[in-house]
């Protein structure tokens, strides 16, 4: 008996929809790469060495700012529609790209905060308490996904089954676990924003891609969480089924 035989048909439909979202997540990012005429793995080489060396610490600072701002703002500023979050970050990306690397670096924690709030809002859509510290930690793990400028075939899906607790020293621990991957992703974003001539256009397009990507990955993440909760099936089994569905979706 295969894993597929163990998954009910209605669950298969949900997994197929999540696979379509996963595929859609990276589509805009590839368009950005075509626009700037580069490859994701080469973007980081465009950054000055001091920026590359300080990228992980800058990412940790951005995550710290985002974490505190997200916790403090939920009781004051309601969750926004996905299109509004995308419009906001796109505008910020244009401003960041217009001034080159200095303004792109300054814009980084602001965009990270909006992205985290967007992820929290999607968690709430799926019936989870986004104000709960553990759920906020869960929201942070979405940043550990591949990133919009990578060609992800579904192989790297560990973030879907990661469990972290946002209490005490664990705050520092989650920053350390998420920051290395996110630093690479945000480094690609910074490099794209500083492409000569394109400037603001590249910044806007990159932020549009990033917001679209993390919104879709949040739907995948919390959609799978809810499916496991409602169906009573192990998340590990559902992740394997999702991986198969993603590969099948990509081969079409």
């Amino acid at each position: 008996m295969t894993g597929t035989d163990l998954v009910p048909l209605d669950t298969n439909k949900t997994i197929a929809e999540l696979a379509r979202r996963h595929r859609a997540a990276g589509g805009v990012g590839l368009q950005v790469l075509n626009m700037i005429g580069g490859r994701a793995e080469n973007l980081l080489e465009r950054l000055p060495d001091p920026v590359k060396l300080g990228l992980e610490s800058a990412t940790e600072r951005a995550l710290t700012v985002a974490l505190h701002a997200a916790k403090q703002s939920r009781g004051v500023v309601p969750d926004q529609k996905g299109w509004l979050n995308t419009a906001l970050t796109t505008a910020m990306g244009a401003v960041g790209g217009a001034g080159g690397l200095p303004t792109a670096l300054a814009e980084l924690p602001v965009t990270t905060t909006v992205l985290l709030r967007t992820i929290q809002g999607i968690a709430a859509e799926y019936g989870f308490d986004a104000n709960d510290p553990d759920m906020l930690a869960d929201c942070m793990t979405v940043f550990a996904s591949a990133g919009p400028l990578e060609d992800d075939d579904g192989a790297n899906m560990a973030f879907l089954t990661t469990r972290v607790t946002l209490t005490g020293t664990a705050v520092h621990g989650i920053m350390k676990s998420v920051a290395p991957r996110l630093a690479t992703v945000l480094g690609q974003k910074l490099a794209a924003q500083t492409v000569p001539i394109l400037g603001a256009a590249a910044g806007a397009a990159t932020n549009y891609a990033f917001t679209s990507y993390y919104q879709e990955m949040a739907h995948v993440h919390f959609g799978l969480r809810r499916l496991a909760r409602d169906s009573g099936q192990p998340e590990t089994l559902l992740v394997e089924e999702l991986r198969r569905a993603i590969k099948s979706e990509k081969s079409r």
Side-chain angles (χ1 to χ4, degrees):
M1 182 177 289
T2 66
T4 304
D5 295 328
L6 297 172
V7 180
L9 288 178
D10 56 342
T11 300
N12 283 337
K13 290 180 181 178
T14 301
I15 287 176
E17 175 58 29
L18 295 178
R20 284 191 289 272
R21 281 191 175 277
H22 188 282
R23 182 182 181 185
V28 181
L30 297 180
Q31 293 174 28
V32 171
L33 288 177
N34 290 334
M35 183 188 79
I36 63 178
R39 296 169 60 88
E41 59 268 28
N42 296 333
L43 282 175
L44 289 177
E45 298 305 314
R46 300 182 180 186
L47 293 175
D49 288 339
V51 175
K52 284 187 285 187
L53 292 173
L55 198 53
E56 191 166 326
S57 60
T59 300
E60 284 193 44
R61 288 194 298 272
L63 284 171
T64 301
V65 170
L67 179 63
H68 290 298
K71 287 195 293 186
Q72 294 172 1
S73 67
R74 281 194 62 81
V76 180
V77 181
D79 295 323
Q80 304 298 321
K81 298 291 186 182
W83 68 266
L84 188 56
N85 290 319
T86 304
L88 176 60
T89 56
T90 299
M92 290 191 300
V95 173
L101 190 56
T103 53
L105 282 167
E107 171 249 326
L108 196 62
V110 183
T111 295
T112 305
T113 300
V114 176
L115 290 175
L116 181 56
R117 276 298 312 269
T118 298
I119 293 167
Q120 283 183 286
I122 291 171
E125 283 184 37
Y126 284 90
F128 297 102
D129 181 5
N131 293 317
D132 180 81
D134 287 350
M135 186 51 57
L136 179 55
D138 207 18
C139 291
M140 293 280 283
T141 64
V142 176
F143 284 132
S145 56
L149 304 185
E150 295 291 343
D151 187 12
D152 181 17
D153 63 356
N156 186 5
M157 300 177 73
F159 77 99
L160 289 172
T161 52
T162 300
R163 286 289 185 274
V164 287
T165 302
L166 197 61
T167 55
T169 57
V171 175
H172 187 66
I174 188 175
M175 298 292 183
K176 286 294 185 183
S177 66
V178 172
R181 177 173 291 279
L182 186 58
T184 299
V185 173
L186 293 181
Q188 295 168 345
K189 167 180 144 56
L190 289 174
Q193 285 180 283
T194 57
V195 172
I197 302 175
L198 294 176
T206 304
N207 270 25
Y208 180 87
F210 270 67
T211 310
S212 300
Y213 174 83
Y214 284 114
Q215 285 183 139
E216 292 293 354
M217 294 308 286
H219 279 290
V220 173
H221 183 73
F222 292 107
L224 197 73
R225 282 275 195 272
R226 186 172 68 179
L227 182 60
R229 182 192 65 192
D230 293 350
S231 68
Q233 297 176 75
E235 277 192 41
T236 51
L237 171 64
L238 296 176
V239 168
E240 285 305 312
E241 291 305 316
L242 179 58
R243 183 178 284 113
R244 293 189 187 96
I246 288 169
K247 289 182 178 179
S248 176
E249 184 75 22
K250 189 175 181 179
S251 65
R252 293 181 181 177

